Amino acid sequence: MIAVVKIGTSSVTDETGWVDRSAITKLCGEVAAARAAGHQVIVVTSGAVGSGLPVLGLDGDRRPRDARTLQAVAAVGQSHLMATYGEALAAHDLVAGQILVAPLDFRERSQYLHARSTVLRLLELGVVPIVNENDALADDEIRFGDNDRIAALMAHLVDADLLVLLTDTAGLHTADPRLDAQASLIEEIREVDQVLEGVATGPGTVGGSGGMASKLAAAKIASWSGVRTVIGAATRPDVVRDAIDGAPGVGTVVRPHDRRLTARKLWIAFAIGASGTIAVDDGARRAIARGGTSLLAAGVTGVRGSFDVDDAVEVIGPDGVVFAKGLSRMAAADVADVAGLRSDELPDGLARYVVHADDLVVLP
Ligand code: GLU
């Protein structure tokens, strides 16, 4: 099978912030064992920013806040990380290949196919792809900032069977195990719903940016990509093997759906934030919910937010409930102007659709 294994900053750096060689050695040993058992593994690693800080003497109280310095720090940390992965894999006669991604790589179909082609070629060549966000060049406006989601999108990209999110707890618990002794492990999730998202409100650890909410969001993306997710402890012996084998107790398992959204719809549904809301009448709601229909001006009853052409918008019905999300072909002001108009009444020069069916996803 193909497994995408993501490991977080708190698991790849030690308490002083330096790259934790033993943690990476453990992970790479597990990757080698999985490969020996006939599986393909892609690693998504965090820790570029975290591990760069001590190298530059910018850790502790001196941790910078400005994006420019953090980007520079990431460039340093990323190369330290890669050197460590390279050495740890070499001990098993394996070679690492670095892939740095940006949101556009998942958004633009041509980039998406390009990324897929490179990663699959690396696998064919026997290389272990080591993926991170391109933190040195990503600015706050255009970055993911969270490798859980990147790992889930990678799992879709390569049509993986399994996503393993390695963290510093044994999985998702009924409460924060660091604060509540009664907290117990949730072993299986059939559907990531709002109740669960409420349980998982805890933030990540100091070093990382993930936390359980971001793990669940990633598991949801994976699930709608037809990929099973295991959230488990990075320190657990043979955690990768057990996740591949589906061993009981390995962590929290999130089941895949049998329907697989396309990359573009997955992106629209889960990877971009909405800049506004378009309200539609009941006829439009029912037509869109059936699938395959575009959102036309005639069905629009109201607009909220200030979005531009190509920005993501949520679509709500008369009950105020969000039921779809899409990319608007019109700016908010234009949508407000044409609300309720038939297509033949639209002013010249304006798109014929508010949201085209290709860019519209009925939310699962
Ligand atoms: N890409 C970030 C880094 O390597 C980590 C993002 C995350 O913690 O999810 O530092």
Side-chain angles (χ1 to χ4, degrees), residues 273-278 303-314 328 330-336:
S275 319
T277 307
I278 297 178
V303 188
R304 270 207 312 269
S306 64
F307 49 87
D308 232 318
V309 174
D310 262 351
D311 280 347
V313 290
E314 287 179 330
S328 179
M330 295 181 193
D334 289 331
V335 179

Side-chain angles (χ1 to χ4, degrees), residues 85-237:
Y85 276 101
E87 280 166 32
L89 287 170
H92 302 276
D93 289 327
L94 290 171
V95 173
Q98 171 179 273
I99 294 276
L100 298 177
V101 295
L104 209 62
D105 298 321
F106 297 95
R107 180 175 181 155
E108 295 295 328
R109 182 144 181 87
S110 59
Q111 273 304 106
Y112 186 87
L113 295 176
H114 203 67
R116 169 153 70 196
S117 158
T118 307
V119 174
L120 293 178
R121 186 69 186 127
L122 284 171
L123 293 177
E124 283 165 16
L125 292 169
V127 173
V128 180
I130 311 282
V131 182
N132 195 358
E133 183 156 23
N134 192 359
D135 293 317
L137 299 186
D139 75 36
D140 276 355
E141 295 283 297
I142 52 152
R143 73 200 303 259
F144 283 110
D146 136 36
N147 276 4
D148 295 319
R149 198 154 41 157
I150 289 178
L153 294 170
M154 284 304 295
H156 186 281
L157 184 97
V158 297
D159 215 345
D161 305 279
L162 175 67
L163 170 65
V164 186
L165 299 174
L166 296 178
T167 181
D168 48 13
T169 65
L172 180 66
H173 292 75
T174 50
D176 187 338
R178 289 167 296 193
L179 306 175
D180 185 343
Q182 303 296 309
S184 62
L185 180 71
I186 299 173
E187 289 209 28
E188 192 185 45
I189 297 173
R190 281 162 188 271
E191 185 77 55
V192 178
D193 57 20
Q194 281 161 350
V195 178
L196 273 171
E197 285 164 344
V199 170
T201 46
T205 41
V206 184
S209 52
M212 274 303 153
S214 116
K215 303 239 158 3
L216 274 189
K220 198 168 176 178
I221 295 176
S223 169
W224 284 102
S225 308
V227 178
R228 173 168 64 98
T229 299
V230 175
I231 305 169
T235 51
R236 183 188 157 98

